[in-house]
Amino acid sequence: MVGKVRRPDRLANRGFTLIEMIVVMTAGAILLGIAVGMLHLLMRTEQTGRDRVGRTAAFAQLAEQFRTDAAAALQFEPDRRRFILPDQREATYQTVGATMDREERKDGRLLRRESFALTAGSSVTFKLDRRDAASWASLTVGVGESPSQRETCVVALLGKDRRFVQPAKKGR
């Protein structure tokens, strides 16, 4: 009787070698490192975008308030950054760090205070321009120190909104 030749059972030797395990673990670690780096970059980009949107919204509110003050103003003093408003009210703007503060007072008493976030290092300029029969107030905010810095300018016609001014009496 001829003896049976035993063939090695292929199913019994289906393990992984140490080298294969090290290669798989190294590849997994590299992919995990790339994923963590991308997640960090994504979170930083999202935070930067959120900050920009917040500053843009704050500047839009500042511009709207500046236009409202200019429209209702009886007088504008750009060197003091102050609007004289009807009913003995005044609105004063001042830059404190990276914020623009607006205070509204009546007879020296504080009625309202608002703060608007600006980009750090912004330069702020107030001007009064008289053209033809109209007076224009402007608020310019510059960002950066280079000659090609970005500037945003808000221009408003002074005293165009006369809802708060007492009408002149007729017949005299």
Side-chain angles (χ1 to χ4, degrees), residues 41-57:
L41 181 65
L42 181 65
M43 289 172 55
R44 190 172 59 199
T45 303
E46 186 264 339
Q47 182 64 41
T48 302
R50 188 181 313 150
D51 290 345
R52 280 189 181 172
V53 167
R55 281 193 307 271
T56 302

Side-chain angles (χ1 to χ4, degrees), residues 2-16:
V2 179
K4 289 187 180 179
V5 178
R6 285 192 88 186
R7 286 192 273 161
D9 193 348
R10 290 189 174 197
L11 295 176
N13 292 331
R14 283 199 72 183
F16 296 105

Side-chain angles (χ1 to χ4, degrees), residues 103-153:
E103 292 183 350
E104 185 175 336
R105 296 181 179 273
K106 181 175 181 175
D107 299 326
R109 195 178 79 239
L110 182 65
L111 296 176
R112 189 168 133 191
R113 175 179 284 150
E114 299 172 289
S115 291
F116 305 96
L118 301 175
T119 303
S122 295
S123 61
V124 180
T125 307
F126 288 81
K127 287 195 311 189
L128 177 63
D129 187 19
R130 298 182 198 275
R131 282 183 258 153
D132 302 325
S135 295
W136 297 83
S138 67
L139 164 68
T140 305
V141 178
V143 179
E145 297 178 11
S146 68
S148 63
Q149 71 180 8
R150 296 181 320 218
E151 287 188 344
T152 304
C153 187

